[in-house]
Amino acid sequence: MGDLFSGMAEGHEQLAPGAWLLRGFARDVASTLLADVARVAQVAPFRHLVTPGGYTMSVAMTNCGRIGWTSEARGYRYASSDPGTGRQWPDLPESFADLARRAAEAAGFADFDPDACLINRYVPGARLSLHQDRDENDRTAPIVSVSLGVPAVFQFGGLSRSDKPARYRLEHGDVVVWGGPSRFAYHGVLPVAEGFHPETGNLRINITFRKVF
DNA sequence: CAGTGCCG
DNA sequence: AGAG
């Protein structure tokens, strides 16, 4: 097996045009990120949202930043306050903003300034079926996704749901960035296996940054 | 509107 | 296991 991307920085794997897996990119700040996740969750608790189809999601979610993604019986939407508490979402921690900006830059997207940050918590068995992120108005900004805790298998496909997705094992500190021609790529997470990570126990935490406006 | 889910 |  040869090196398909010789000359590229170690640990940066191209998944598709405009899509990169930055292996271990957030490893050195992972503890700080997790501490900030805990702080956010204290103000905006994780909840299991209900899809418009009436099913309760296996992944628990919360948000920080100016606006947050939510799902309700009536539909998906970005909201400036937490429907669970009525309060505004907590501010985007500095550690989040800095990491998101640097990861986007490393993937070729300059000046990424996310206004939305969705935090997903997976227990063993939790999953996110194949979908597109398409509730954002800014179609030029990338998606930045940070994996923490127990590993998971990430599916990354094409622009059509029928395109067979490739699978990548994402570990603590890995970051995936996709934008440009891959901005609307289908992606998902297979059911998370039982596991243990010293910083999260049996949980997987994912932090996803988007620019809505 | 709803496929970020279920069925098979 | 995973198409539709």
Side-chain angles (χ1 to χ4, degrees), chain A residues 90-112:
Chain A
D91 288 340
L92 192 71
E94 183 56 39
S95 65
F96 285 22
D98 177 66
L99 187 276
R101 162 85 52 139
R102 289 188 298 106
E105 173 76 35
F109 300 95
D111 303 318
F112 182 48

Side-chain angles (χ1 to χ4, degrees), chain A residues 57 61 69 76 78 112 116-118 120 122 128-145 154-156 158-159 176-180 182-189 206-212:
Chain A
M57 296 178 71
M61 300 178 164
W69 188 88
Y76 308 139
Y78 275 98
F112 182 48
C117 174
L118 174 64
N120 294 152
Y122 298 72
L128 211 48
S129 63
L130 207 61
H131 68 279
Q132 294 170 302
D133 290 5
R134 56 177 179 186
D135 300 320
E136 301 76 26
N137 298 305
D138 188 329
R139 322 214 138 192
T140 67
I143 303 294
V144 173
S145 173
F154 179 64
Q155 297 176 297
F156 192 83
L159 302 181
V176 183
V177 180
W178 63 98
S182 288
R183 174 60 180 74
F184 296 102
Y186 276 87
H187 58 283
V189 177
N206 174 261
I207 310 175
T208 301
F209 300 94
R210 293 92 177 257
K211 186 153 176 55
V212 178

Side-chain angles (χ1 to χ4, degrees), chain A residues 1-83:
Chain A
M1 206 71 67
D3 180 5
L4 274 67
F5 304 103
S6 53
M8 224 143 261
E10 192 74 39
H12 292 202
E13 181 180 350
Q14 187 162 205
L15 309 187
W20 294 87
L21 167 45
L22 311 176
R23 288 213 154 94
F25 191 88
R27 200 174 291 139
D28 61 340
V29 293
S31 297
T32 301
L33 297 176
L34 285 169
D36 282 330
V37 167
R39 204 152 23 237
V40 167
Q42 220 169 311
V43 175
F46 283 100
R47 310 197 282 134
H48 291 272
L49 305 179
V50 176
T51 67
Y55 299 100
T56 300
M57 296 178 71
S58 58
V59 175
M61 300 178 164
T62 187
N63 291 273
C64 58
R66 277 187 42 227
I67 38 191
W69 188 88
T70 65
S71 175
E72 303 170 329
R74 57 179 276 207
Y76 308 139
R77 67 189 179 104
Y78 275 98
S80 56
S81 58
D82 179 353

